[in-house]
Amino acid sequence: MGNNIKELLEELKNLSELMLDLAYSAVFFENKEIAKEVLLLYERLEDIEEDLYMHLFAVGKKMSPRLISVIELVETSKDVALAAKNIAEMVIDGKSLHPVIKQALSEADESIVMVKVRKSSILSNRTLGDVKLRSNTGIDVIAIRRDKRWIFDPQKNTRIKPGDVLICIGTVESCQKAKKIASGKLKEI
């Protein structure tokens, strides 16, 4: 199968994972703006899905096991994205999750934290690639709020500025470390 199909599958998978992370963040922080972004990402995911099926059916003359596996992957990613969309819609509609679900989210192995980058932080005016947060700490920055706008799925060349608010995902320990790094209390990673 062609390179386009591989790239589209990778984008579909990454997008569905980002949507789920953002949906949980929207619930955790009760943030409708993040929830609305999930809905916009869902529209993008539907476009990718359509492109993928066009490519798949153009190259696949018969339903081979390989083609069926790819279709299953597309459908699984779409299911994850739909779940994220449903969660986001609950936040937008002002519906609250059952307290047991909120507690389960807060007790999960993975934690979510929102941290503000201080001028004295080692993150200030450096790119994500420069500081290598993911490899050095296990922290994954999934979004950055800068002034009144959001940067979703920031890349390694994304520069962190003082005053940025980062949404990070990682273990409880790595999220605690993120707070110390962003506040300037921890001077080394």
Side-chain angles (χ1 to χ4, degrees):
M1 290 187 207
N3 208 23
N4 272 346
I5 293 174
K6 182 182 175 205
E7 290 170 6
L8 287 169
L9 278 172
E10 188 174 316
E11 186 176 357
L12 184 79
K13 181 190 88 52
N14 291 341
L15 196 56
S16 66
E17 289 173 359
L18 174 63
M19 288 174 65
L20 194 56
D21 287 343
L22 290 175
Y24 285 144
S25 299
V27 167
F28 202 74
F29 299 115
E30 297 178 5
N31 189 308
K32 290 183 180 188
E33 189 176 358
I34 295 172
K36 288 176 184 173
E37 187 64 27
V38 172
L39 300 184
L40 292 173
L41 291 173
Y42 187 80
E43 291 175 13
R44 171 70 184 130
L45 185 125
E46 287 183 313
D47 291 341
I48 295 169
E49 177 191 28
E50 185 178 320
D51 287 350
L52 253 167
Y53 280 130
M54 296 293 284
H55 280 81
L56 288 173
F57 294 126
V59 298
K61 306 239 187 284
K62 58 182 178 168
M63 291 300 267
S64 70
R66 194 170 167 192
L67 183 61
I68 292 170
S69 295
V70 172
I71 291 171
E72 287 174 350
L73 180 61
V74 171
E75 290 305 312
T76 301
S77 294
K78 179 88 183 261
D79 289 345
V80 169
L82 186 57
K85 179 180 180 262
N86 291 340
I87 292 168
E89 286 173 340
M90 287 179 59
V91 173
I92 291 168
D93 294 343
K95 295 178 183 171
S96 184
L97 287 180
H98 191 280
V100 171
I101 296 172
K102 275 193 170 183
Q103 183 175 351
L105 283 175
S106 69
E107 292 174 3
D109 290 341
E110 206 170 59
S111 187
I112 301 170
V113 68
M114 201 176 219
V115 296
K116 186 170 187 171
V117 178
R118 304 284 176 217
K119 192 174 187 176
S120 60
S121 171
I122 57 175
L123 301 176
S124 284
N125 298 310
R126 296 183 66 196
T127 67
L128 287 171
D130 290 341
V131 293
K132 298 179 181 153
L133 278 177
R134 180 182 285 163
S135 57
N136 289 331
T137 65
I139 298 164
D140 189 19
V141 178
I142 62 165
I144 300 172
R145 186 180 73 215
R146 182 170 295 150
D147 300 319
K148 295 188 187 280
R149 68 180 188 91
W150 285 94
I151 301 167
F152 293 101
D153 195 22
Q155 303 300 307
K156 64 181 180 181
N157 63 342
T158 302
R159 187 163 303 280
I160 303 168
K161 297 183 178 181
D164 282 356
V165 176
L166 312 179
I167 296 180
C168 305
I169 292 181
T171 63
V172 173
E173 296 81 26
S174 63
C175 285
Q176 291 301 320
K177 193 171 185 178
K179 288 179 184 179
K180 291 177 184 174
I181 292 169
S183 69
K185 291 179 183 171
L186 191 60
K187 299 293 182 186
E188 289 183 12
I189 297 181

